[in-house]
Each structure stands twice: as structure tokens, then as C-alpha cells.
């Protein structure tokens, strides 16, 4: 077992961390205050990301990406997790689902997404279909060689900056042991398609400036050429995406927790009460000990899951474990960091309250903590026939 980073991986960590500190940190307070990222700032971040060779770094070299393996890309996401998501979203990482594009779609969607000419967003969640994605009501009916779509998606991250959206839509039903369930097909839908509208969603307490959007389809006609993959086989490509996104959430949670911890550690060493640094008191020092132990555990769990993906080993349970542990760890660490700062931890002068608020959503999106525990327990019990 070798836990050391390679020279290349250490270079990745150093480069991305420096980028976040110089290009992201200076703009965070303004984004937090306004809840908005000026388009020119987003474009500038994307341009500088291209300059250092990291735009599309998660995509294979044959399509213009950097071809990073899962472990190296997890390190990228961990470092990006230190910064505001409203800003790091422009550090382009196209959805890996686009690798399912056919030749025509490759030229229109995949290659422009990797080069940064176009941004994509991914839409699955609906008002009545969150964890139960097979319960989605957004439906497409066949009409000749076209599909006519009606329905609504919501909580669709950064669709406000997307040139096209990868949308999962019900296209039929099938009988299952648990009753009739929807058959799902994946479509590529361009902004501006008649009958398709992207509008700003809800105001969120978490990740201000990182917009969630509502998508509506009203007799939206899509040619069969817009299908990504095969009809009724949307879940086949969705499962690969879910692996990657859950690992990303775990990694970003680790990065954000380390930033919060650094604030708390330095404050504990500098802040004096009763004639000595507050870190000299076990009430504070033991908090720090617990915080760093949990952060390191989440980090290792996350990187181990990424390593298993690189080795082609079964990873579903391990990724679910990393996601549930890292996101819940982040909640505990940010809360304890605020406790160490006392009242100042809740003031806008520091980013700790933001970290605390941002942490809350990590246990919900990309699969709730309850869904992760379901995945883990099912993986353990099914081989035993339970």
C-alpha cells in the first residue's frame, strides 16, 4: 500500500489549489453578497482554466481532455471544493455522460463542451421525483420520428449558463417486481428549442450564486437524433454519471472541511483568553483533534473509492460510503469551527457561516444520505439473500 501522491498528482494539487486561492477566493465575498456571478467574470475564470490546461481535464485525451484518471480528478475536485461553487463551476468539467455521443452528436456537443465553447447541464430531478427518479412525470410521446415532451424539471444546477441540457425523460413503462415503473431515455436539448424554457429556480441558503433552475417542456418537439444512447436505456449511462458525481461531492466536502479547519486551527493558536491561547484548553484542542481525524478519514475513504474505480473494481458501496461520511463530516467540522470562533464565527466578516450553510445541501443532492445508506446496506445484505 502506497499512500503517497505521484509527482504529477502533487503538481495537480498545487496547481489547482493556487488557482482557487488566486482566482476564486478574491471574488467570493461579492458573490455571497449579491448571489450573482457577472458573466464576464465566469468567462475570465474559464479562460484562465484553459490557460493552465485543466479545462475538460476529466475527459479522455482522444476528445481533447487531459485524460486524468479517477484518483487524479478526485484530487482536482477536492481542491476546487475549497472555493465557491458559483465560481468553480467555470473551471470546466463536462459531464462524462457525453462520451455516449454518436459521431454527429460528438461534433455538436461533446467536442465543444470539452473545448469550452459550450457549457452543459444535467437534468433529472422533478418536483415529484427526487430520490425516486423512476417516478418522473416529465414524459415524451413518440410522434413519427420525433418525440414530443411535456413536463417540468427543477433543482437543475447551473442550467442558467448552459448552452444545452442533458435531460432524462420518461418514454414508456415496464413491469417490475415493485409494480410498473417508467422507462427512461436521455435527450440532448439545446437552449432556445421551441417549447423548452430555462428559468431561474429557488433562492437557496446554500451555495449562493450557484443557480438552480426550473426547466419546462410544453409540447417541445425533439427529433430522435437528439437521443443520447438508446431509447429506454437512459439509466445505463446515468449510473456511470452517478458514480462520478457522488465521488465529486465527497471530494469537495473534504476540501471545504480542510479550509474550515485551517481557520479554526489558526484561531485556536492565536486567540487568547484567560492569559493563554484557547487551543491550550482541552475543550478546544480536543475539538481540533476530532475534526482532523474525521477529515483525514473522509479523505482516505474518498481516494480509496476513486482508486477502486481506476482498478475496475466494484465501487458502488465504497462511493456511497465516501459520500455519506464526507458530507456528514463536513457538517460536523463546520459547526465545530464556528463553535471555536464563538460569536465571530457567525459574522459575515468570516466565511465560516457560508461554509456551514453550504454544507447542508451536500447531504441531499446527488443522492441523499438515506439513499447512500440504502445502497451500502443493500450491497452488504444481498449476497446473504436478505
Amino acid at each position: 500500500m502506497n499512500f503517497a501522491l505521484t509527482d504529477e498528482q502533487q503538481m495537480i494539487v498545487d496547481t489547482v489549489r493556487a488557482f482557487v486561492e488566486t482566482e476564486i477566493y478574491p471574488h467570493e465575498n461579492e458573490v455571497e453578497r449579491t448571489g450573482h456571478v457577472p458573466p464576464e467574470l465566469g468567462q475570465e475564470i474559464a479562460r484562465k482554466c484553459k490557460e493552465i490546461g485543466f479545462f475538460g481535464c476529466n475527459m479522455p485525451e482522444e476528445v481533447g481532455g487531459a485524460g486524468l484518471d479517477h484518483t487524479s480528478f478526485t484530487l482536482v475536485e477536492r481542491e476546487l471544493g475549497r472555493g465557491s461553487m458559483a465560481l468553480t463551476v467555470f473551471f470546466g468539467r463536462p459531464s462524462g455522460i457525453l462520451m455516449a455521443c454518436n459521431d454527429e452528436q460528438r461534433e455538436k456537443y461533446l467536442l465543444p463542451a470539452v473545448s469550452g465553447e459550450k457549457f452543459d447541464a444535467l437534468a433529472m430531478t422533478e418536483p415529484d421525483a427526487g430520490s425516486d427518479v423512476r417516478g418522473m412525470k416529465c414524459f415524451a410521446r413518440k410522434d413519427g420520428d420525433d418525440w414530443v415532451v411535456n413536463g417540468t424539471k427543477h433543482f437543475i444546477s447551473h442550467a442558467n449558463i448552459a448552452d444545452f441540457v442533458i435531460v432524462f425523460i420518461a418514454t414508456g413503462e415496464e413491469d417490475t417486481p415493485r409494480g410498473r415503473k417508467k422507462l427512461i431515455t436521455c435527450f440532448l436539448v439545446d437552449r432556445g428549442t421551441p417549447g423548452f424554457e430555462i428559468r431561474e429556480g429557488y433562492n437557496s441558503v446554500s451555495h449562493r450564486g450557484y443557480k438552480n433552475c426550473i426547466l419546462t417542456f410544453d409540447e417541445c418537439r425533439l427529433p430522435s437524433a437528439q437521443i443520447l444512447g438508446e431509447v429506454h436505456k437512459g439509466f445505463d449511462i446515468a449510473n456511470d454519471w452517478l458514480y462520478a458525481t457522488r465521488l465529486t461531492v465527497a471530494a469537495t466536502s473534504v476540501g471545504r472541511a480542510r479550509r474550515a479547519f485551517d481557520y479554526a486551527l489558526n484561531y485556536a493558536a492565536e486567540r487568547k483568553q484567560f492569559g493563554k491561547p484557547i487551543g491550550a484548553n482541552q475543550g478546544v484542542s480536543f475539538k481540533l483533534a476530532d475534526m482532523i481525524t474525521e477529515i483525514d478519514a473522509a479523505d482516505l475513504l474518498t481516494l480509496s473509492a476513486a482508486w477502486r474505480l481506476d482498478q475496475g473494481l466494484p465501487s458502488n458501496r465504497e462511493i456511497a460510503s465516501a459520500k455519506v461520511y464526507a458530507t456528514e463530516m463536513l457538517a460536523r467540522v463546520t459547526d465545530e469551527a464556528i463553535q471555536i470562533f464563538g460569536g465571530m464565527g457567525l459574522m459575515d466578516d468570516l466565511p465560516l457561516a457560508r461554509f456551514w450553510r453550504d454544507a447542508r445541501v451536500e447531504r441531499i443532492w446527488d443522492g441523499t444520505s438515506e439513499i447512500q445508506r440504502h445502497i451500502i446496506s443493500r450491497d452488504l445484505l444481498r449476497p446473504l439473500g436478505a
Side-chain angles (χ1 to χ4, degrees), residues 23 51 119 137 164 169 174 196 206 213 234 261-262 276 280 305 330 333 359:
E23 305 298 338
E51 286 180 356
F119 270 91
K137 296 178 181 178
F164 67 95
I169 300 171
E174 64 177 345
F196 172 55
S206 299
C213 296
F261 175 80
D262 288 343
K276 61 182 179 180
L330 176 61
V333 166

Side-chain angles (χ1 to χ4, degrees), residues 88-162:
T88 59
V89 67
F90 295 98
F91 195 99
R93 293 95 78 205
S95 173
I97 286 181
L98 291 173
M99 289 304 297
C101 284
N102 59 33
D103 289 343
E104 182 179 339
Q105 293 167 344
R106 173 186 171 111
E107 297 299 321
K108 186 176 180 181
Y109 298 105
L110 172 60
L111 297 182
V114 176
S115 68
E117 296 171 50
K118 292 183 177 181
F119 270 91
D120 66 284
L122 199 144
M124 185 178 289
T125 302
E126 298 181 7
D128 294 318
S131 296
D132 180 19
V133 294
R134 287 258 224 165
M136 65 176 59
K137 296 178 181 178
C138 189
F139 194 85
R141 70 176 188 273
K142 193 79 163 62
D143 184 17
D145 194 42
D146 295 340
W147 296 82
V148 180
V149 186
N150 286 281
T152 302
K153 300 286 183 182
H154 78 162
F155 294 156
I156 309 307
S157 297
H158 65 262
N160 59 303
I161 65 169

Side-chain angles (χ1 to χ4, degrees), residues 219-350:
E219 292 293 295
C220 177
R221 183 172 292 271
L222 301 174
S224 293
Q226 296 304 111
I227 292 175
L228 182 63
E230 300 179 37
V231 175
H232 304 329
K233 300 293 184 181
F235 274 123
D236 291 352
I237 53 178
N239 285 335
D240 291 338
W241 164 71
L242 288 171
Y243 282 160
T245 58
R246 287 170 180 169
L247 200 55
T248 289
V249 173
T252 55
S253 294
V254 171
R256 198 165 302 122
R258 286 205 187 277
R259 186 177 174 192
F261 175 80
D262 288 343
Y263 273 96
L265 178 64
N266 290 322
Y267 188 74
E270 296 168 1
R271 169 72 165 168
K272 291 185 178 180
Q273 290 286 275
F274 305 106
K276 61 182 179 180
I278 61 172
N281 300 307
Q282 287 185 351
V284 172
S285 64
F286 281 15
K287 289 183 188 298
L288 295 169
D290 289 342
M291 290 160 73
I292 196 61
T293 299
E294 289 202 63
I295 293 169
D296 286 345
D299 203 0
L300 291 171
L301 194 59
T302 301
L303 292 173
S304 173
W307 177 86
R308 288 183 66 86
L309 277 180
D310 285 330
Q311 305 309 308
L313 298 171
S315 309
N316 199 19
R317 174 173 64 83
E318 289 78 8
I319 291 172
S321 294
K323 202 271 185 183
V324 70
Y325 185 78
T327 56
E328 295 187 356
M329 171 278 298
L330 176 61
R332 291 188 291 270
V333 166
T334 54
D335 191 74
E336 290 287 42
I338 288 173
Q339 193 69 19
I340 289 171
F341 270 85
M344 277 304 300
L346 292 169
M347 300 299 109
D348 288 341
D349 302 68
L350 295 168

